[in-house]
Amino acid sequence: MRESFDFDVNPREIRLVRSWARERLAAAGDLPDETITDIVLIMNELATNAVRHAAGPARVRLLRSDSAVWVGVEDAGGAAWFDPAVPLPTPIGTGLTLVAACSHRRGHFHRGDGGRTVWAEIPVAS
């Protein structure tokens, strides 16, 4: 599986991102419902952060290997990404904390075009 979906950084688009991810993952036919639920939750949180903190347009990506599903959200840049393992002086949400709890690995990188990709990797039982 190697899929992507472009969306506008508009709160109404998040529903479309979730539906797209759920349909693509279900079509794979071999992922447990619990894994699909975790991946859709992660995709929702990363896409929501792009809508709240980044410039658009944005793109979500799903990449599947034998052992994991990689979820990424690309945006045109914006507010700084934070590490959910580092306590903040004031709480601002739990989205990336949920991503950390539901994924094996996660992170971000800045692209040469000035944009950013925030990603997570979810293991798939073999």
Side-chain angles (χ1 to χ4, degrees), residues 8-79:
D8 292 324
V9 287
N10 179 317
R12 286 176 262 164
E13 297 280 310
I14 300 302
R15 176 183 53 83
L16 300 174
V17 169
R18 284 192 309 265
S19 295
W20 173 83
R22 194 173 293 111
E23 288 172 11
R24 293 300 183 267
L25 294 163
D30 62 345
L31 291 171
D33 289 341
E34 181 178 297
T35 301
I36 291 173
T37 298
D38 286 350
I39 294 168
V40 171
L41 172 68
I42 288 168
M43 182 76 68
N44 178 77
E45 294 301 331
L46 297 182
T48 298
N49 282 350
V51 166
R52 288 185 179 156
H53 305 293
R59 172 178 292 143
V60 294
R61 292 189 184 272
L62 286 171
L63 304 172
R64 168 80 188 271
S65 70
D66 290 337
S67 61
V69 174
W70 187 89
V71 175
V73 175
E74 302 172 354
D75 60 51

Short mmCIF file of all heavy atoms in Angstrom, two decimals, residues 8-79:
data_model
loop_
_atom_site.label_atom_id
_atom_site.label_comp_id
_atom_site.label_asym_id
_atom_site.label_seq_id
_atom_site.Cartn_x
_atom_site.Cartn_y
_atom_site.Cartn_z
N ASP A 8 -7.38 20.44 2.23
CA ASP A 8 -7.20 21.83 2.64
C ASP A 8 -7.09 21.90 4.15
O ASP A 8 -7.69 21.09 4.86
CB ASP A 8 -8.38 22.69 2.19
CG ASP A 8 -8.45 22.84 0.69
OD1 ASP A 8 -7.39 22.92 0.05
OD2 ASP A 8 -9.58 22.87 0.15
N VAL A 9 -6.36 22.88 4.66
CA VAL A 9 -6.26 23.04 6.10
C VAL A 9 -7.51 23.77 6.60
O VAL A 9 -7.50 24.94 6.94
CB VAL A 9 -4.95 23.74 6.54
CG1 VAL A 9 -3.78 22.80 6.38
CG2 VAL A 9 -4.72 25.02 5.78
N ASN A 10 -8.60 23.01 6.62
CA ASN A 10 -9.92 23.48 7.00
C ASN A 10 -10.52 22.40 7.91
O ASN A 10 -10.48 21.22 7.57
CB ASN A 10 -10.77 23.65 5.74
CG ASN A 10 -12.16 24.12 6.00
OD1 ASN A 10 -12.83 23.65 6.93
ND2 ASN A 10 -12.63 25.02 5.17
N PRO A 11 -11.09 22.77 9.05
CA PRO A 11 -11.62 21.76 9.97
C PRO A 11 -12.62 20.80 9.33
O PRO A 11 -12.69 19.63 9.72
CB PRO A 11 -12.30 22.59 11.07
CG PRO A 11 -11.61 23.90 11.04
CD PRO A 11 -11.23 24.13 9.60
N ARG A 12 -13.37 21.24 8.34
CA ARG A 12 -14.34 20.36 7.69
C ARG A 12 -13.69 19.23 6.89
O ARG A 12 -14.32 18.24 6.58
CB ARG A 12 -15.27 21.18 6.79
CG ARG A 12 -16.26 21.98 7.60
CD ARG A 12 -17.08 22.85 6.72
NE ARG A 12 -16.42 24.16 6.80
CZ ARG A 12 -16.60 25.16 5.98
NH1 ARG A 12 -17.43 25.06 4.99
NH2 ARG A 12 -15.98 26.29 6.15
N GLU A 13 -12.42 19.39 6.59
CA GLU A 13 -11.70 18.38 5.81
C GLU A 13 -11.30 17.16 6.63
O GLU A 13 -11.02 16.10 6.08
CB GLU A 13 -10.46 19.00 5.17
CG GLU A 13 -10.76 20.11 4.19
CD GLU A 13 -11.17 19.59 2.84
OE1 GLU A 13 -10.46 18.73 2.28
OE2 GLU A 13 -12.21 20.06 2.33
N ILE A 14 -11.24 17.30 7.95
CA ILE A 14 -10.78 16.19 8.80
C ILE A 14 -11.67 14.97 8.64
O ILE A 14 -11.19 13.84 8.61
CB ILE A 14 -10.69 16.64 10.27
CG1 ILE A 14 -9.70 17.80 10.42
CG2 ILE A 14 -10.30 15.48 11.17
CD1 ILE A 14 -8.30 17.50 9.94
N ARG A 15 -12.96 15.17 8.53
CA ARG A 15 -13.89 14.05 8.33
C ARG A 15 -13.53 13.29 7.04
O ARG A 15 -13.55 12.06 7.01
CB ARG A 15 -15.32 14.58 8.24
CG ARG A 15 -16.36 13.53 7.94
CD ARG A 15 -17.74 14.15 7.79
NE ARG A 15 -17.78 15.24 6.81
CZ ARG A 15 -17.90 15.07 5.48
NH1 ARG A 15 -17.99 13.86 4.99
NH2 ARG A 15 -17.94 16.10 4.68
N LEU A 16 -13.16 14.02 5.99
CA LEU A 16 -12.77 13.38 4.73
C LEU A 16 -11.47 12.59 4.88
O LEU A 16 -11.33 11.50 4.32
CB LEU A 16 -12.61 14.44 3.63
CG LEU A 16 -13.85 15.25 3.30
CD1 LEU A 16 -13.51 16.35 2.30
CD2 LEU A 16 -14.96 14.36 2.78
N VAL A 17 -10.53 13.13 5.65
CA VAL A 17 -9.27 12.43 5.90
C VAL A 17 -9.54 11.11 6.62
O VAL A 17 -9.01 10.06 6.23
CB VAL A 17 -8.30 13.33 6.72
CG1 VAL A 17 -7.11 12.54 7.22
CG2 VAL A 17 -7.86 14.53 5.89
N ARG A 18 -10.37 11.14 7.66
CA ARG A 18 -10.69 9.91 8.40
C ARG A 18 -11.37 8.88 7.50
O ARG A 18 -11.01 7.70 7.52
CB ARG A 18 -11.61 10.22 9.59
CG ARG A 18 -10.93 10.86 10.76
CD ARG A 18 -11.83 10.87 11.99
NE ARG A 18 -13.15 11.39 11.73
CZ ARG A 18 -13.53 12.66 11.95
NH1 ARG A 18 -12.67 13.52 12.44
NH2 ARG A 18 -14.76 13.05 11.70
N SER A 19 -12.33 9.31 6.72
CA SER A 19 -13.05 8.39 5.82
C SER A 19 -12.11 7.79 4.80
O SER A 19 -12.15 6.58 4.54
CB SER A 19 -14.19 9.12 5.09
OG SER A 19 -15.16 9.54 6.00
N TRP A 20 -11.26 8.62 4.22
CA TRP A 20 -10.30 8.13 3.22
C TRP A 20 -9.38 7.08 3.85
O TRP A 20 -9.17 6.01 3.28
CB TRP A 20 -9.47 9.30 2.68
CG TRP A 20 -8.36 8.86 1.80
CD1 TRP A 20 -8.43 8.57 0.48
CD2 TRP A 20 -7.00 8.62 2.20
NE1 TRP A 20 -7.20 8.16 0.02
CE2 TRP A 20 -6.32 8.19 1.06
CE3 TRP A 20 -6.32 8.73 3.40
CZ2 TRP A 20 -4.96 7.87 1.07
CZ3 TRP A 20 -4.97 8.41 3.42
CH2 TRP A 20 -4.31 7.99 2.27
N ALA A 21 -8.83 7.38 5.04
CA ALA A 21 -7.92 6.44 5.69
C ALA A 21 -8.62 5.13 6.02
O ALA A 21 -8.09 4.03 5.76
CB ALA A 21 -7.33 7.07 6.96
N ARG A 22 -9.82 5.21 6.58
CA ARG A 22 -10.56 4.00 6.95
C ARG A 22 -10.83 3.13 5.72
O ARG A 22 -10.65 1.91 5.76
CB ARG A 22 -11.87 4.39 7.64
CG ARG A 22 -12.54 3.24 8.35
CD ARG A 22 -13.75 3.69 9.17
NE ARG A 22 -13.36 4.54 10.30
CZ ARG A 22 -13.62 5.84 10.40
NH1 ARG A 22 -14.28 6.46 9.47
NH2 ARG A 22 -13.23 6.50 11.46
N GLU A 23 -11.25 3.75 4.61
CA GLU A 23 -11.53 3.00 3.38
C GLU A 23 -10.28 2.33 2.84
O GLU A 23 -10.32 1.17 2.44
CB GLU A 23 -12.11 3.94 2.32
CG GLU A 23 -13.51 4.39 2.60
CD GLU A 23 -13.97 5.47 1.62
OE1 GLU A 23 -13.28 5.72 0.62
OE2 GLU A 23 -15.03 6.07 1.89
N ARG A 24 -9.16 3.04 2.81
CA ARG A 24 -7.92 2.47 2.26
C ARG A 24 -7.41 1.32 3.13
O ARG A 24 -6.95 0.31 2.62
CB ARG A 24 -6.82 3.54 2.15
CG ARG A 24 -7.10 4.62 1.14
CD ARG A 24 -7.24 4.01 -0.25
NE ARG A 24 -7.44 5.00 -1.27
CZ ARG A 24 -8.63 5.42 -1.71
NH1 ARG A 24 -9.73 4.96 -1.19
NH2 ARG A 24 -8.71 6.30 -2.68
N LEU A 25 -7.48 1.50 4.43
CA LEU A 25 -6.99 0.46 5.34
C LEU A 25 -7.89 -0.78 5.30
O LEU A 25 -7.40 -1.91 5.31
CB LEU A 25 -6.89 1.01 6.76
CG LEU A 25 -5.84 2.10 6.93
CD1 LEU A 25 -6.08 2.86 8.23
CD2 LEU A 25 -4.44 1.51 6.89
N ALA A 26 -9.20 -0.58 5.24
CA ALA A 26 -10.12 -1.72 5.15
C ALA A 26 -9.93 -2.46 3.84
O ALA A 26 -10.02 -3.69 3.80
CB ALA A 26 -11.57 -1.24 5.30
N ALA A 27 -9.65 -1.74 2.77
CA ALA A 27 -9.45 -2.37 1.46
C ALA A 27 -8.22 -3.28 1.45
O ALA A 27 -8.15 -4.22 0.66
CB ALA A 27 -9.33 -1.30 0.37
N ALA A 28 -7.27 -3.01 2.33
CA ALA A 28 -6.08 -3.87 2.41
C ALA A 28 -6.49 -5.29 2.78
O ALA A 28 -5.85 -6.26 2.37
CB ALA A 28 -5.08 -3.31 3.40
N GLY A 29 -7.55 -5.41 3.59
CA GLY A 29 -8.13 -6.71 3.89
C GLY A 29 -7.43 -7.56 4.92
O GLY A 29 -7.95 -8.60 5.30
N ASP A 30 -6.29 -7.14 5.42
CA ASP A 30 -5.57 -8.00 6.36
C ASP A 30 -5.18 -7.30 7.66
O ASP A 30 -4.37 -7.82 8.42
CB ASP A 30 -4.32 -8.58 5.69
CG ASP A 30 -3.32 -7.51 5.27
OD1 ASP A 30 -3.70 -6.32 5.23
OD2 ASP A 30 -2.16 -7.86 4.99
N LEU A 31 -5.77 -6.14 7.90
CA LEU A 31 -5.46 -5.42 9.14
C LEU A 31 -6.58 -5.63 10.15
O LEU A 31 -7.76 -5.49 9.81
CB LEU A 31 -5.31 -3.92 8.86
CG LEU A 31 -4.10 -3.51 8.04
CD1 LEU A 31 -4.20 -2.03 7.67
CD2 LEU A 31 -2.82 -3.78 8.81
N PRO A 32 -6.24 -5.94 11.38
CA PRO A 32 -7.27 -6.08 12.42
C PRO A 32 -8.00 -4.75 12.63
O PRO A 32 -7.42 -3.67 12.47
CB PRO A 32 -6.48 -6.47 13.67
CG PRO A 32 -5.14 -6.89 13.20
CD PRO A 32 -4.90 -6.22 11.89
N ASP A 33 -9.26 -4.83 13.03
CA ASP A 33 -10.06 -3.62 13.26
C ASP A 33 -9.40 -2.70 14.29
O ASP A 33 -9.43 -1.48 14.14
CB ASP A 33 -11.47 -3.99 13.74
CG ASP A 33 -12.31 -4.60 12.63
OD1 ASP A 33 -11.97 -4.42 11.45
OD2 ASP A 33 -13.32 -5.25 12.97
N GLU A 34 -8.79 -3.26 15.32
CA GLU A 34 -8.13 -2.45 16.34
C GLU A 34 -6.96 -1.65 15.75
O GLU A 34 -6.76 -0.48 16.10
CB GLU A 34 -7.63 -3.35 17.48
CG GLU A 34 -6.95 -2.59 18.59
CD GLU A 34 -6.52 -3.51 19.71
OE1 GLU A 34 -7.39 -4.13 20.33
OE2 GLU A 34 -5.30 -3.61 19.93
N THR A 35 -6.21 -2.26 14.85
CA THR A 35 -5.10 -1.57 14.21
C THR A 35 -5.63 -0.45 13.31
O THR A 35 -5.09 0.66 13.32
CB THR A 35 -4.25 -2.56 13.40
OG1 THR A 35 -3.75 -3.57 14.28
CG2 THR A 35 -3.07 -1.87 12.73
N ILE A 36 -6.69 -0.73 12.57
CA ILE A 36 -7.29 0.31 11.72
C ILE A 36 -7.77 1.47 12.58
O ILE A 36 -7.53 2.64 12.24
CB ILE A 36 -8.44 -0.28 10.87
CG1 ILE A 36 -7.88 -1.23 9.82
CG2 ILE A 36 -9.26 0.84 10.22
CD1 ILE A 36 -8.94 -1.99 9.04
N THR A 37 -8.41 1.18 13.70
CA THR A 37 -8.88 2.23 14.60
C THR A 37 -7.73 3.09 15.09
O THR A 37 -7.82 4.32 15.10
CB THR A 37 -9.65 1.61 15.79
OG1 THR A 37 -10.79 0.91 15.28
CG2 THR A 37 -10.10 2.67 16.78
N ASP A 38 -6.62 2.46 15.50
CA ASP A 38 -5.45 3.21 15.96
C ASP A 38 -4.88 4.09 14.85
O ASP A 38 -4.54 5.25 15.07
CB ASP A 38 -4.36 2.28 16.47
CG ASP A 38 -4.67 1.66 17.81
OD1 ASP A 38 -5.65 2.10 18.46
OD2 ASP A 38 -3.94 0.73 18.21
N ILE A 39 -4.79 3.55 13.64
CA ILE A 39 -4.22 4.31 12.53
C ILE A 39 -5.11 5.50 12.17
O ILE A 39 -4.62 6.61 11.94
CB ILE A 39 -3.98 3.40 11.32
CG1 ILE A 39 -2.90 2.36 11.65
CG2 ILE A 39 -3.58 4.22 10.09
CD1 ILE A 39 -2.78 1.24 10.63
N VAL A 40 -6.42 5.29 12.15
CA VAL A 40 -7.34 6.39 11.85
C VAL A 40 -7.26 7.46 12.94
O VAL A 40 -7.27 8.66 12.64
CB VAL A 40 -8.78 5.87 11.65
CG1 VAL A 40 -9.78 7.02 11.56
CG2 VAL A 40 -8.87 5.01 10.39
N LEU A 41 -7.14 7.05 14.21
CA LEU A 41 -6.98 8.02 15.30
C LEU A 41 -5.70 8.84 15.10
O LEU A 41 -5.72 10.08 15.21
CB LEU A 41 -6.93 7.29 16.65
CG LEU A 41 -6.57 8.17 17.85
CD1 LEU A 41 -7.68 9.16 18.15
CD2 LEU A 41 -6.28 7.30 19.06
N ILE A 42 -4.62 8.18 14.79
CA ILE A 42 -3.35 8.88 14.56
C ILE A 42 -3.48 9.84 13.38
O ILE A 42 -3.06 11.00 13.46
CB ILE A 42 -2.21 7.86 14.36
CG1 ILE A 42 -1.88 7.17 15.68
CG2 ILE A 42 -0.97 8.54 13.77
CD1 ILE A 42 -0.99 5.96 15.55
N MET A 43 -4.04 9.37 12.28
CA MET A 43 -4.22 10.22 11.10
C MET A 43 -5.07 11.44 11.46
O MET A 43 -4.77 12.56 11.05
CB MET A 43 -4.87 9.41 9.99
CG MET A 43 -5.06 10.17 8.70
SD MET A 43 -3.55 10.37 7.76
CE MET A 43 -3.23 8.70 7.26
N ASN A 44 -6.13 11.22 12.22
CA ASN A 44 -7.00 12.32 12.65
C ASN A 44 -6.22 13.36 13.45
O ASN A 44 -6.34 14.56 13.20
CB ASN A 44 -8.16 11.75 13.48
CG ASN A 44 -9.08 12.82 13.99
OD1 ASN A 44 -9.90 13.35 13.24
ND2 ASN A 44 -8.97 13.16 15.26
N GLU A 45 -5.43 12.91 14.41
CA GLU A 45 -4.69 13.84 15.26
C GLU A 45 -3.65 14.61 14.47
O GLU A 45 -3.51 15.83 14.65
CB GLU A 45 -4.04 13.10 16.43
CG GLU A 45 -5.02 12.50 17.41
CD GLU A 45 -5.94 13.52 18.04
OE1 GLU A 45 -5.55 14.70 18.20
OE2 GLU A 45 -7.07 13.15 18.39
N LEU A 46 -2.91 13.94 13.60
CA LEU A 46 -1.87 14.63 12.83
C LEU A 46 -2.50 15.61 11.84
O LEU A 46 -1.99 16.73 11.66
CB LEU A 46 -0.98 13.62 12.11
CG LEU A 46 -0.17 12.67 13.00
CD1 LEU A 46 0.69 11.76 12.14
CD2 LEU A 46 0.66 13.43 14.02
N ALA A 47 -3.59 15.22 11.20
CA ALA A 47 -4.26 16.11 10.26
C ALA A 47 -4.88 17.30 10.99
O ALA A 47 -4.84 18.44 10.49
CB ALA A 47 -5.33 15.35 9.47
N THR A 48 -5.45 17.07 12.17
CA THR A 48 -6.02 18.16 12.96
C THR A 48 -4.94 19.16 13.35
O THR A 48 -5.16 20.38 13.29
CB THR A 48 -6.74 17.61 14.21
OG1 THR A 48 -7.82 16.78 13.79
CG2 THR A 48 -7.27 18.72 15.09
N ASN A 49 -3.77 18.68 13.72
CA ASN A 49 -2.67 19.59 14.05
C ASN A 49 -2.26 20.42 12.83
O ASN A 49 -1.95 21.61 12.97
CB ASN A 49 -1.48 18.83 14.60
CG ASN A 49 -1.67 18.44 16.05
OD1 ASN A 49 -2.61 18.89 16.70
ND2 ASN A 49 -0.80 17.58 16.55
N ALA A 50 -2.26 19.81 11.67
CA ALA A 50 -1.95 20.57 10.45
C ALA A 50 -2.98 21.67 10.23
O ALA A 50 -2.64 22.81 9.88
CB ALA A 50 -1.88 19.64 9.24
N VAL A 51 -4.25 21.35 10.44
CA VAL A 51 -5.32 22.34 10.28
C VAL A 51 -5.15 23.48 11.29
O VAL A 51 -5.30 24.65 10.94
CB VAL A 51 -6.71 21.68 10.41
CG1 VAL A 51 -7.81 22.71 10.58
CG2 VAL A 51 -6.99 20.79 9.20
N ARG A 52 -4.82 23.15 12.52
CA ARG A 52 -4.72 24.17 13.57
C ARG A 52 -3.45 25.00 13.51
O ARG A 52 -3.46 26.18 13.87
CB ARG A 52 -4.78 23.50 14.94
CG ARG A 52 -6.14 23.00 15.29
CD ARG A 52 -6.17 22.46 16.69
NE ARG A 52 -7.52 22.01 17.01
CZ ARG A 52 -7.79 21.12 17.92
NH1 ARG A 52 -6.82 20.57 18.61
NH2 ARG A 52 -9.03 20.77 18.15
N HIS A 53 -2.34 24.40 13.09
CA HIS A 53 -1.05 25.07 13.28
C HIS A 53 -0.23 25.29 12.02
O HIS A 53 0.85 25.87 12.13
CB HIS A 53 -0.19 24.24 14.25
CG HIS A 53 -0.86 23.96 15.55
ND1 HIS A 53 -1.14 24.95 16.47
CD2 HIS A 53 -1.31 22.80 16.10
CE1 HIS A 53 -1.73 24.42 17.52
NE2 HIS A 53 -1.85 23.11 17.32
N ALA A 54 -0.70 24.85 10.88
CA ALA A 54 0.15 24.91 9.70
C ALA A 54 -0.50 25.66 8.56
O ALA A 54 -1.68 25.96 8.57
CB ALA A 54 0.49 23.48 9.25
N ALA A 55 0.32 25.92 7.58
CA ALA A 55 -0.17 26.51 6.34
C ALA A 55 -0.50 25.37 5.38
O ALA A 55 0.05 24.28 5.49
CB ALA A 55 0.89 27.42 5.75
N GLY A 56 -1.39 25.61 4.48
CA GLY A 56 -1.81 24.57 3.54
C GLY A 56 -1.25 24.82 2.18
O GLY A 56 -0.52 25.78 1.97
N PRO A 57 -1.53 23.91 1.29
CA PRO A 57 -2.34 22.71 1.45
C PRO A 57 -1.59 21.63 2.22
O PRO A 57 -0.42 21.78 2.53
CB PRO A 57 -2.61 22.27 0.01
CG PRO A 57 -1.41 22.76 -0.75
CD PRO A 57 -1.00 24.06 -0.06
N ALA A 58 -2.29 20.53 2.49
CA ALA A 58 -1.69 19.43 3.24
C ALA A 58 -1.96 18.11 2.52
O ALA A 58 -2.82 18.03 1.65
CB ALA A 58 -2.26 19.39 4.66
N ARG A 59 -1.18 17.11 2.89
CA ARG A 59 -1.33 15.78 2.30
C ARG A 59 -1.12 14.75 3.39
O ARG A 59 -0.22 14.87 4.21
CB ARG A 59 -0.29 15.59 1.21
CG ARG A 59 -0.24 14.17 0.66
CD ARG A 59 0.78 14.04 -0.45
NE ARG A 59 0.29 14.81 -1.59
CZ ARG A 59 1.08 15.51 -2.40
NH1 ARG A 59 2.38 15.53 -2.21
NH2 ARG A 59 0.56 16.18 -3.41
N VAL A 60 -1.97 13.71 3.39
CA VAL A 60 -1.76 12.56 4.26
C VAL A 60 -1.23 11.42 3.42
O VAL A 60 -1.56 11.29 2.24
CB VAL A 60 -3.06 12.15 5.01
CG1 VAL A 60 -3.48 13.23 5.99
CG2 VAL A 60 -4.18 11.84 4.06
N ARG A 61 -0.38 10.61 4.04
CA ARG A 61 0.21 9.46 3.34
C ARG A 61 0.08 8.22 4.20
O ARG A 61 0.25 8.28 5.42
CB ARG A 61 1.68 9.69 3.04
CG ARG A 61 1.94 10.76 2.02
CD ARG A 61 3.40 10.76 1.63
NE ARG A 61 3.72 11.82 0.72
CZ ARG A 61 3.62 11.74 -0.60
NH1 ARG A 61 3.21 10.62 -1.16
NH2 ARG A 61 3.94 12.77 -1.36
N LEU A 62 -0.17 7.11 3.55
CA LEU A 62 -0.16 5.79 4.18
C LEU A 62 0.82 4.93 3.39
O LEU A 62 0.69 4.81 2.16
CB LEU A 62 -1.54 5.13 4.12
CG LEU A 62 -2.61 5.65 5.04
CD1 LEU A 62 -3.96 5.03 4.68
CD2 LEU A 62 -2.26 5.34 6.49
N LEU A 63 1.78 4.34 4.07
CA LEU A 63 2.72 3.42 3.45
C LEU A 63 2.72 2.15 4.27
O LEU A 63 2.82 2.19 5.50
CB LEU A 63 4.13 4.02 3.43
CG LEU A 63 4.29 5.37 2.76
CD1 LEU A 63 5.69 5.91 2.98
CD2 LEU A 63 3.98 5.28 1.28
N ARG A 64 2.63 1.02 3.61
CA ARG A 64 2.53 -0.26 4.30
C ARG A 64 3.71 -1.15 3.93
O ARG A 64 4.05 -1.29 2.76
CB ARG A 64 1.22 -0.93 3.89
CG ARG A 64 1.08 -2.39 4.28
CD ARG A 64 0.70 -2.53 5.74
NE ARG A 64 0.74 -3.89 6.18
CZ ARG A 64 -0.26 -4.75 6.13
NH1 ARG A 64 -1.41 -4.40 5.63
NH2 ARG A 64 -0.11 -5.97 6.59
N SER A 65 4.33 -1.72 4.94
CA SER A 65 5.33 -2.77 4.73
C SER A 65 4.77 -4.04 5.36
O SER A 65 3.66 -4.04 5.88
CB SER A 65 6.66 -2.37 5.38
OG SER A 65 6.55 -2.41 6.78
N ASP A 66 5.54 -5.10 5.36
CA ASP A 66 5.09 -6.34 5.98
C ASP A 66 4.91 -6.19 7.49
O ASP A 66 4.09 -6.86 8.08
CB ASP A 66 6.08 -7.47 5.71
CG ASP A 66 6.07 -7.89 4.26
OD1 ASP A 66 5.07 -7.65 3.56
OD2 ASP A 66 7.09 -8.46 3.81
N SER A 67 5.69 -5.28 8.10
CA SER A 67 5.69 -5.20 9.56
C SER A 67 5.08 -3.93 10.15
O SER A 67 4.89 -3.86 11.36
CB SER A 67 7.12 -5.33 10.08
OG SER A 67 7.91 -4.27 9.57
N ALA A 68 4.76 -2.94 9.32
CA ALA A 68 4.26 -1.67 9.88
C ALA A 68 3.47 -0.87 8.85
O ALA A 68 3.59 -1.10 7.64
CB ALA A 68 5.43 -0.84 10.38
N VAL A 69 2.69 0.05 9.37
CA VAL A 69 2.04 1.07 8.55
C VAL A 69 2.63 2.41 8.98
O VAL A 69 2.67 2.72 10.17
CB VAL A 69 0.51 1.09 8.72
CG1 VAL A 69 -0.12 2.24 7.96
CG2 VAL A 69 -0.09 -0.24 8.27
N TRP A 70 3.12 3.17 8.01
CA TRP A 70 3.68 4.50 8.25
C TRP A 70 2.62 5.51 7.87
O TRP A 70 2.06 5.45 6.77
CB TRP A 70 4.94 4.67 7.41
CG TRP A 70 5.71 5.93 7.66
CD1 TRP A 70 6.71 6.11 8.57
CD2 TRP A 70 5.58 7.19 6.97
NE1 TRP A 70 7.20 7.39 8.49
CE2 TRP A 70 6.52 8.07 7.52
CE3 TRP A 70 4.74 7.64 5.96
CZ2 TRP A 70 6.66 9.38 7.08
CZ3 TRP A 70 4.86 8.94 5.52
CH2 TRP A 70 5.82 9.80 6.08
N VAL A 71 2.31 6.43 8.77
CA VAL A 71 1.32 7.48 8.57
C VAL A 71 2.05 8.80 8.61
O VAL A 71 2.81 9.07 9.54
CB VAL A 71 0.27 7.44 9.71
CG1 VAL A 71 -0.70 8.60 9.59
CG2 VAL A 71 -0.46 6.12 9.75
N GLY A 72 1.85 9.63 7.60
CA GLY A 72 2.49 10.94 7.59
C GLY A 72 1.53 12.02 7.15
O GLY A 72 0.63 11.77 6.36
N VAL A 73 1.71 13.21 7.71
CA VAL A 73 0.95 14.38 7.27
C VAL A 73 1.97 15.45 6.88
O VAL A 73 2.82 15.84 7.69
CB VAL A 73 0.00 14.90 8.36
CG1 VAL A 73 -0.68 16.19 7.91
CG2 VAL A 73 -1.05 13.85 8.69
N GLU A 74 1.88 15.87 5.64
CA GLU A 74 2.76 16.92 5.12
C GLU A 74 1.99 18.23 5.10
O GLU A 74 0.82 18.25 4.75
CB GLU A 74 3.18 16.58 3.69
CG GLU A 74 3.88 15.27 3.55
CD GLU A 74 4.11 14.88 2.10
OE1 GLU A 74 3.61 15.59 1.19
OE2 GLU A 74 4.77 13.86 1.88
N ASP A 75 2.67 19.31 5.51
CA ASP A 75 2.05 20.63 5.42
C ASP A 75 3.09 21.61 4.91
O ASP A 75 4.23 21.25 4.66
CB ASP A 75 1.45 21.04 6.77
CG ASP A 75 2.47 21.12 7.89
OD1 ASP A 75 3.51 21.78 7.70
OD2 ASP A 75 2.23 20.52 8.94
N ALA A 76 2.67 22.86 4.77
CA ALA A 76 3.56 23.88 4.23
C ALA A 76 4.33 24.63 5.32
O ALA A 76 4.93 25.66 5.06
CB ALA A 76 2.75 24.87 3.38
N GLY A 77 4.33 24.13 6.54
CA GLY A 77 5.06 24.76 7.64
C GLY A 77 4.11 25.50 8.55
O GLY A 77 2.92 25.59 8.31
N GLY A 78 4.65 26.03 9.62
CA GLY A 78 3.82 26.76 10.58
C GLY A 78 4.40 26.64 11.97
O GLY A 78 5.61 26.68 12.15
N ALA A 79 3.54 26.45 12.95
CA ALA A 79 3.96 26.38 14.35
C ALA A 79 4.92 25.21 14.58
O ALA A 79 4.89 24.23 13.86
CB ALA A 79 2.74 26.25 15.25
#
